[in-house]
Amino acid sequence: CVAGGVNLLLLAATTAVTSAAGMLDAQGRCKTLDAAAGGYVRAEACGALRLACGAGCESAIGAETVLSTALNQDGRSSSLTAPNGPSQQLLLLAGARVSGMPPSTLCGHQLHGTGTPLGDPIERSALASAMAASGGPASLVLTAAKARVGHSEAGAALSGLADALGVADSAPAPVTLHLRACNAHVA
């Protein structure tokens, strides 16, 4: 089967509204985890991944194995741009449980990483709590596709997955662009 994601920026009004609400970074840079994070950056994306399962799939050239996925609704939060930390923690623990791999084997994590001064610290805290609760490693390599390509909204999941798969094939992991000074609430 094929999994795809597409986001096109066709209406200027959407960008105008999100800008007026103070949700977008004034410099047009997604500064994931940075002290100067000022909001997210809207982006376009169009992509697809061919998914396969069964005998022989693991021998395909360039094939990666996805052991689990998990999905939830964030529930109540203080605002549209502030994630629900406990909900994110439960999601991370569910994904680890479904995969059957102990969190202690993790070496990296693809952040949602929108570059908001409140959202990124909440996400990082939820990850740290999930790792602590499940015996995971104290430190992980964190990457964020949005720091490189922006938030492609409806295409963001595919952008993040493609980025994570690319990181799995490369060493070292790519730098998180625009990260100059870590947000004090992240460390």
Side-chain angles (χ1 to χ4, degrees):
C1 68
V2 174
V6 176
N7 189 58
L8 299 174
L9 304 178
L10 301 175
L11 302 173
T14 305
T15 301
V17 167
T18 53
S19 179
M23 296 168 63
L24 301 181
D25 185 79
Q27 289 131 4
R29 291 181 176 86
C30 180
K31 300 176 197 113
T32 303
L33 304 175
D34 194 85
Y40 80 103
V41 176
R42 298 189 76 217
E44 294 185 319
C46 178
L49 293 173
R50 185 176 73 83
L51 306 175
C53 62
C57 292
E58 56 280 342
S59 64
I61 296 173
E64 298 291 344
T65 301
V66 176
L67 297 176
S68 75
T69 61
L71 177 71
N72 74 347
Q73 198 282 338
D74 211 29
R76 286 188 178 262
S77 60
S78 61
S79 75
L80 178 63
T81 60
N84 180 318
S87 181
Q88 287 193 349
Q89 182 180 348
L90 290 172
L91 176 68
L92 293 163
L93 292 170
R97 186 173 48 258
V98 170
S99 74
M101 283 185 68
S104 60
T105 63
L106 291 177
C107 58
H109 179 79
Q110 175 68 224
L111 295 164
H112 183 62
T114 56
T116 60
L118 181 60
D120 289 351
I122 291 172
E123 180 182 3
R124 173 60 180 90
S125 178
L127 176 60
S129 296
M131 291 297 97
S134 60
S139 64
L140 295 170
V141 173
L142 303 178
T143 59
K146 289 176 186 74
R148 288 185 290 290
V149 299
H151 193 332
S152 52
E153 299 161 6
L158 185 67
S159 296
L161 180 58
D163 193 64
L165 293 174
V167 168
D169 283 340
S170 67
V175 292
T176 301
L177 292 180
H178 318 299
L179 178 56
R180 304 290 181 260
C182 195
N183 182 324
H185 300 289
V186 170

